[in-house]
């Protein structure tokens, strides 16, 4: 068979040791051994309603024990009565309940014997109760006078306890009991004094025996109470009826330790005496002693030695007192301190048996051997009251030793089997057992051994003869080998070896190591909104050998969830998935996926948190009221430990508006709130979590704080002025809750900085003050202090402000221009002196305008453009200029008031640039090996044209392209060209670029396919070579050239174009190399952006412009740059309108003069 082990172990080093068999395992029944009592009866009651009574005595031993009995110390023959039934190889007997069985009552003892010795049982008492009965008797009536004391005796019959006594009338109604009338512990009914109402003829005593299922009744008794002849009762002092006067003033009481102490005092007297109890020596167990029966019985449960002492009861009435003392002695039956311990012993060992017991009175000790008292004359060992010793044990010394401890409260018995053996090891575990466990767990290979003398045990693995000795191996006291933290390589065959001086034995065991089960639950710790759904999945990996025993289950907070794969429930468990639809708050918890195999168990957990809007707090209360604080307490709703926000509302300045005052952690339900003076507060609390805010709580009661002087002064003090000789001081007014009291005003103080003079002061109610007739742009020290009817705020801080500004009165000097390329220049200037700024210098403006074109020398109407450069600087970049043109430029300074005078104009010229894209490229005629192309002039030549570059290349359907072929057209007047040597039926792409001395511009393109061999080219094939057609084409070309010349001249008069169009159609390769230059804001003189300029707001300036960063450029009126540094301003000036569309396949937009 394969034994499956999966218990985690504790790492301990393995060591070879002597196995102690006496304490490790029981002696196998195959080995000769002494008898041992294994089962016996104790006190036995022979109830009359039982059919039979069993008295048990069982024992084991080798040889099989035989049984004998004694009754009341004398031999008892089980065959002496036919009603006794016995069983073979058993000492148990059964007494059948037939006839009179009283003669079976007594104390029995069982003896189990074999060749090695005799074992003895404890005494077994058999009680044969008789049926309890009250004797039939005639009870004479009792005639007494009013006020006398009376005792009605019950004298119940004997029976098996417990005994319950009741006094009732003939109608089975209880006789009322109180301090005057009560029943004693013995069952008698006591009257401290009788009254006429006590007269009746049916006082009945009932005795109940629950274990016998019997209730018996005494004959009714009659009590007649007559009024005395004198008509008045004679009062008397108390007299004790229990204990009786004959017992004297004191008596002794013995109680068993652990039992119940009951002390009783009943007194007669008139008026009815009252009973009380005291402990004369020491203190009562409790401050208020427990009493019963209207104070007449003192009761102490679980008596200890501390309860020993003298107790006194006292009966008292107005006529006197009566006392009695009880001397309580606590005794106890025998209890073992040390019992003799037997075991298995080897020949030659020594033996010491100890026996000690305590009790009160002190118990006596008696030693027996094999059930008989030890005869000191024949026993070779030494015997004392508490000890027996034997040296050099031999096989014949095997015996059962008994020790009995006895006092008047009982007898206890302890037995010790001394087995002296000399045998070779017996291995009780089967040979060839198969074991299995999983990686990381502990494996336990069993090797249960019995041997005498003790055996040495060792384990080996596979073919090795060396014992296992690493720290992962542990040999337990019972011979079991524990392999801790197992690994795959621990699989194999193991051998257990046991040897002593008598012989040697061995067994083998096989161990297999499986892969451990692993689990992962996803998602790990989900957070789900209430009413949403969640799907948990459990991914498991386990050893394939364990597939048959693999089981998967789900638990919530440790409780297993039932499997439900029908989909009908809200929570569906289907093997490795757990689905919760419409998540509720009670679904929150820890969900565990539990996988189990025959060898191991694995668990993976996921904490599900259900999110919901918290419930509103409740029961707001205010306490600890102070001038500037109050404690707010509340009862948290179902807030899921959410933090709370405390809000307030005041009904004077902004009634109905709730404002946040404080936040507290989720586990707090109270907070001390800091308050402002002169506010009539009302509070509410809102709980907040990741889902949202709860509804606010109901508002608290209002709490008004008393007024006080201001705690703070206005902030954000500043000076604003629109006129040169004016100063307007402004500040942020105090909030309503910062006023602290009525009559708020602001005390404004000011004086010129650096001038020794007194402060100017003025009280105002608004949050500004205007002062006129002050010097232009002079620094002032300013203070603003809050004041109300209760005083002033703290000393205010000094703020520096300037009086009103005026226009700058000087122009920059030393203006110079450095040309960077055909469209970009850098401007330099010398700033104006600080005292000429007459305000805060905001920056400089650079203005420029085109005066003429260098291409045709034509003058232009001046259209001004400008760029703004913020701050105190002396240079800037001017982009977007027209190449090959003459410009003029000025610089001015400006402050918050406005612009100063301009500098003298500076003249500069821009060099030639590359031409713009030709207006069109058009295919006029295709043949099988040639093509005729026509193109237009560039929109702007940007210099003197030097010719054209015509390029073409093969393209196919997959957009793959061939090598580019170039044709240089040096004659600038040529605008058509015939390309020969092309391949038939081939698609080509054509490019045309215009060039100046600076280079070539962008190309216009078109595509087309040559004709196949033998294909008719069309009507143009015949006429294209005719003279009239060629003359017509030349005339059209001449007219077109004339029209373009007119357009070119008129365009130079000015126009408007967008930055986007200029940069796309007028690229400037030179501008791409400009780095780290600074541009200003660009605008025309009328400051109106044109259509097309808004496109640049999207960052349309491509790489053809300057790549400078944002800080290198000036600011325009409409904003020149995006946050990423893109140039977004619009250049505006004289721009041309209109467009002409090319007839070729490529189109471009051209500005034409209207």
């Amino acid at each position: 068979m394969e034994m499956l082990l999966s218990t985690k172990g504790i790492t301990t080093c393995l060591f070879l040791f002597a196995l102690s068999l006496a304490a490790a395992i029981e002696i196998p029944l195959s080995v000769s051994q002494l008898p041992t009592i294994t089962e016996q009866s104790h006190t036995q009651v022979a109830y009359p309603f039982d059919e039979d009574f069993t008295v048990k005595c069982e024992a084991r031993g080798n040889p099989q024990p035989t049984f004998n009995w004694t009754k009341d110390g004398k031999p008892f023959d089980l065959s002496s009565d036919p009603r006794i039934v016995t069983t073979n190889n058993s000492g148990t007997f059964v007494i059948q309940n037939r006839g009179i069985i009283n003669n079976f009552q007594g104390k029995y003892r069982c003896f189990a014997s074999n060749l090695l010795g005799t074992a003895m049982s404890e005494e077994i008492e058999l009680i044969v109760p008789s049926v309890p009965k009250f004797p039939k008797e005639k009870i004479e009536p009792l005639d007494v006078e009013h006020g006398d004391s009376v005792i009605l005796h019950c004298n119940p019959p004997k029976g098996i306890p417990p005994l319950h006594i009741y006094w009732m009338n003939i109608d089975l109604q209880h006789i009322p009991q109180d301090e005057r009338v009560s029943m004693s512990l013995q069952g008698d009914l006591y009257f401290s004094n009788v009254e006429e109402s006590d007269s009746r003829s049916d006082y009945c005593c009932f005795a109940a025996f629950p274990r016998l299922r019997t209730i018996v009744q005494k004959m009714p008794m009659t009590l007649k109470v007559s009024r005395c002849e004198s008509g008045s009762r004679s009062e008397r002092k108390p007299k004790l009826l229990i204990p009786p006067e004959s017992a004297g003033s004191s008596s002794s009481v013995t109680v068993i330790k652990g039992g119940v102490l009951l002390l009783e005092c009943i007194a007669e007297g008139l008026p009815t005496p009252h009973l009380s109890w005291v402990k004369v020596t020491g203190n009562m167990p409790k401050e208020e002693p427990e009493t019963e029966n209207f104070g007449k019985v003192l009761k102490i449960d679980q008596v200890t030695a501390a309860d020993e002492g003298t107790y006194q009861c006292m009966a008292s009435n107005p006529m006197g007192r009566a006392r009695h003392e009880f001397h309580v002695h606590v005794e106890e039956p025998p209890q073992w301190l040390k019992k003799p311990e037997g075991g298995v012993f080897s020949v030659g060992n020594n033996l010491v048996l100890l026996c000690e017991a305590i009790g009160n009175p002190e118990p006596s000790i008696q030693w027996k051997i094999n059930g008989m008292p030890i005869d000191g004359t024949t026993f070779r060992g030494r015997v004392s009251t508490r000890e027996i010793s034997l040296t050099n044990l031999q096989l014949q010394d095997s015996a059962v030793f008994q020790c009995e401890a006895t006092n008047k409260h009982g007898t206890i018995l302890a037995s010790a089997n001394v087995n002296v053996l000399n045998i070779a090891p017996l291995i009780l575990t089967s040979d060839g057992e198969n074991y299995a466990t999983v990686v990381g767990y502990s494996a336990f290979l069993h090797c249960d051994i019995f041997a005498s003398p003790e055996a040495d045990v060792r384990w080996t693995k596979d073919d090795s003869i060396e014992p296992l000795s690493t720290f992962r191996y542990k040999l337990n006291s019972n011979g079991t080998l524990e392999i801790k933290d197992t690994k795959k390589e621990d699989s194999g065959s193991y051998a257990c070896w046991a040897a002593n001086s008598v012989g040697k034995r061995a067994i083998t065991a096989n161990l297999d190591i499986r892969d451990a089960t692993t689990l992962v639950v996803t998602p790990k710790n989900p957070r789900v909104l209430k009413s949403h759904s969640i799907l948990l999945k459990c991914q498991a990996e386990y050893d394939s050998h364990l597939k048959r025993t693999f089981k998967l289950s789900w638990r919530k907070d440790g409780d297993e969830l039932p499997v439900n794969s029908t989909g009908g429930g809200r929570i569906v468990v289907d093997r490795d998935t757990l689905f919760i639809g419409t998540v509720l708050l009670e679904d929150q918890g820890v969900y565990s996926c539990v996988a189990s195999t025959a060898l191991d168990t694995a668990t993976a957990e996921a904490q599900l948190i259900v999110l919901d809007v918290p419930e509103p707090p409740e029961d707001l209360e205010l306490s600890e009221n102070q001038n500037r604080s109050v404690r707010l307490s509340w009862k948290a709703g179902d807030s899921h430990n959410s933090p709370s926000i405390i809000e307030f509302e005041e009904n004077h300045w902004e009634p109905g508006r709730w404002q946040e005052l404080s936040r507290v952690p989720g586990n707090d339900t109270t907070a001390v709130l800091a308050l402002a003076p002169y506010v009539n507060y009302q509070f509410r609390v809102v709980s907040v979590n990741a889902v949202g805010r709860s509804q606010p709580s109901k508002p608290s009661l209002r709490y008004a704080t008393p007024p006080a002087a201001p705690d703070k002064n206005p902030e954000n003090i500043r000076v604003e002025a629109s006129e040169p000789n004016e100063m307007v001081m402004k500040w942020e007014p105090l909030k309503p809750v910062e006023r602290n009291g009525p009559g708020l005003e602001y005390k404004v103080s000011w004086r010129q900085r650096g001038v020794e003079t007194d402060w100017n002061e003025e009280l105002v109610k608004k949050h500004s003050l205007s002062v006129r007739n002050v010097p232009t742009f002079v620094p002032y020290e300013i203070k603003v202090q809050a004041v109300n009817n209760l005083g002033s705020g703290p000393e205010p801080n000094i703020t520096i402000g300037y009086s009103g500004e005026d226009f700058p009165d000087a122009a920059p000097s030393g203006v110079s221009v450095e040309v960077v390329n055909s469209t970009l220049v850098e401007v330099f200037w010398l700033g104006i002196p600080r005292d000429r700024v007459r305000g805060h210098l905001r920056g400089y403006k650079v203005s420029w305008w085109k005066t003429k074109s260098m291409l045709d020398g034509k003058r232009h109407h001046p259209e001004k453009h400008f760029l703004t450069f913020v701050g105190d600087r002396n240079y800037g970049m001017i982009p977007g200029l027209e190449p090959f043109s003459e410009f003029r430029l000025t610089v001015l300074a400006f402050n918050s008031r406005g612009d100063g005078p301009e500098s003298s104009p500076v003249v500069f010229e821009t060099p030639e640039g590359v031409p713009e894209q030709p207006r069109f490229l058009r295919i006029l005629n295709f043949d099988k090996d040639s093509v005729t192309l026509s193109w237009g002039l560039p929109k702007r030549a940007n210099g003197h044209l030097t010719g054209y570059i015509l390029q073409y290349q093969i393209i196919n359907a997959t957009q793959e392209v061939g090598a580019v072929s170039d044709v240089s057209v040096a004659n600038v007047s040529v605008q058509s060209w015939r390309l020969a040597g092309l391949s038939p039926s081939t698609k080509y792409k054509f490019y045309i670029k215009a060039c100046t001395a600076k280079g070539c511009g962008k190309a216009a393109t078109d595509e087309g396919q040559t004709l196949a061999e033998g294909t008719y080219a069309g009507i143009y094939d015949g006429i294209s070579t005719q003279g009239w057609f060629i003359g017509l084409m030349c005339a059209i070309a001449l007219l077109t050239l004339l029209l373009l010349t007119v357009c070119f001249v008129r365009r130079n008069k000015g126009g408007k174009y967008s930055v986007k169009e200029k940069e796309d159609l007028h690229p400037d390769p030179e501008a791409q190399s400009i780095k780290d230059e600074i541009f200003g804001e660009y605008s025309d003189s009328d400051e109106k952006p044109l259509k097309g300029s808004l496109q640049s707001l999207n960052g349309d300036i491509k790489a053809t412009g300057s790549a400078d960063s944002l800080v290198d450029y000036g600011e325009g009126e409409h904003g020149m740059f995006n946050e990423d540094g893109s140039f977004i301003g619009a250049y505006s000036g004289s721009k041309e309108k209109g467009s002409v569309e090319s007839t070729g396949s490529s189109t471009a937009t051209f500005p034409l003069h209207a």
Side-chain angles (χ1 to χ4, degrees), residues 878-892:
I878 307 299
L881 301 175
E882 289 188 25
F884 210 41
S885 301
E886 180 186 89
F887 292 90
R888 296 199 177 195
L889 177 147
T890 62
V891 183
L892 63 81

Side-chain angles (χ1 to χ4, degrees), residues 294-464:
F294 310 102
K296 298 174 184 180
V297 176
L298 175 66
K299 181 180 180 180
I300 299 176
D301 292 314
Q302 296 293 320
V303 172
T304 65
D307 296 323
E308 200 169 62
T310 300
Y311 294 81
Q312 183 188 80
C313 74
M314 182 172 65
S316 60
N317 69 6
M319 303 306 296
R321 299 177 180 178
R323 296 181 179 87
H324 186 87
E325 290 186 349
F326 297 89
H327 303 293
V328 176
H329 303 281
V330 179
E331 297 184 353
E332 59 180 318
Q335 288 186 350
W336 291 118
L337 285 180
K338 191 171 294 182
K339 294 195 293 184
E341 294 183 359
V344 177
F345 299 87
S346 302
V347 173
N349 287 159
N350 297 326
L351 169 69
V352 175
L353 298 177
L354 301 177
C355 183
E356 293 184 27
I358 59 170
N360 189 7
E362 184 177 351
S364 60
I365 304 293
Q366 183 183 19
W367 285 97
K368 293 182 180 181
I369 185 170
N370 294 326
M372 301 298 292
I374 295 178
D375 185 355
T377 60
T378 59
F379 184 66
R380 72 180 187 87
R382 291 193 303 174
V383 181
S384 67
T385 303
R386 293 184 174 85
E387 182 179 307
I388 286 181
S389 62
L390 274 170
T391 59
N392 191 21
L393 289 172
Q394 300 299 314
L395 294 176
Q396 60 270 23
D397 290 326
S398 295
V400 181
F401 291 83
Q402 290 98 10
C403 177
E404 272 189 327
T406 305
N407 68 9
K408 66 179 183 178
H409 299 296
T411 299
I412 54 177
L413 172 68
S415 297
N417 287 16
V418 177
N419 290 278
V420 183
L421 301 174
N422 191 44
I423 61 173
L426 295 176
I427 300 182
L428 307 179
T429 303
S430 300
D431 189 17
E433 290 279 11
N434 295 316
Y435 300 88
T437 188
V438 296
V439 173
Y441 281 62
S442 291
F444 295 87
L445 309 184
H446 299 300
C447 187
D448 293 337
I449 300 170
F450 180 81
S452 182
E454 298 168 347
D456 291 332
V457 181
R458 63 189 178 93
W459 283 85
T460 61
K461 184 175 185 294
D462 296 332
D463 298 329
S464 174

Side-chain angles (χ1 to χ4, degrees), residues 190-212:
Y190 284 78
F191 294 81
S192 294
N193 50 78
V194 294
E195 298 177 352
E196 289 186 56
S197 59
D198 296 327
S199 296
R200 61 188 315 136
S201 60
D202 56 354
Y203 283 96
C204 298
C205 179
F206 291 84
F209 300 88
R211 294 178 67 185
L212 294 175

